[in-house]
Amino acid sequence: MAFPVSMLLIAVGAVLAFAVNRSPNGVNIHTVGWILLAVGFVGLLLGLFWWDSWGGGYWRRRRTYVAGDPYAAPPADPYGRRRTVVEEDVAGPPGPPGPPPDVPPPP
């Protein structure tokens, strides 16, 4: 939510600071525009910082896990519990019976 609001503040501030030629009595529109620009940029930077600390986005911190360390907890899975599927090859039905094993032929 911080990104769209910050972009809106930056856009309105830029219009007020650079495109408006008239100012009502007692209010300097250009100063209001510069203030909105500054608030928009600060909000954008804070939003990017909090986006990182909440765990989403490109700048996500990577944590390493050593498998042999008995005191280290495994990393939490951000996607919830995962399921492992194991596929095994199952032999088909047996074929026709073959010749009997090493039986001497009848006389």
Side-chain angles (χ1 to χ4, degrees):
M1 188 71 178
F3 185 74
V5 172
S6 297
M7 295 308 285
L8 179 70
L9 287 174
I10 291 170
V12 170
V15 167
L16 292 177
F18 303 122
V20 175
N21 292 331
R22 296 189 181 211
S23 211
N25 291 335
V27 177
N28 189 350
I29 294 294
H30 299 289
T31 305
V32 172
W34 281 107
I35 291 172
L36 288 177
L37 274 167
V39 169
F41 280 119
V42 168
L44 183 67
L45 291 176
L46 287 176
L48 288 176
F49 172 74
W50 281 328
W51 183 38
D52 176 38
S53 65
W54 285 337
Y58 181 75
W59 297 280
R60 183 176 174 176
R61 294 182 196 123
R62 304 275 182 201
R63 293 181 179 94
T64 58
Y65 170 67
V66 179
D69 188 4
Y71 299 106
D77 190 6
Y79 300 109
R81 190 171 183 183
R82 292 191 180 191
R83 178 177 56 171
T84 303
V85 178
V86 178
E87 295 182 12
E88 297 179 2
D89 291 334
V90 179
D102 296 331
V103 177

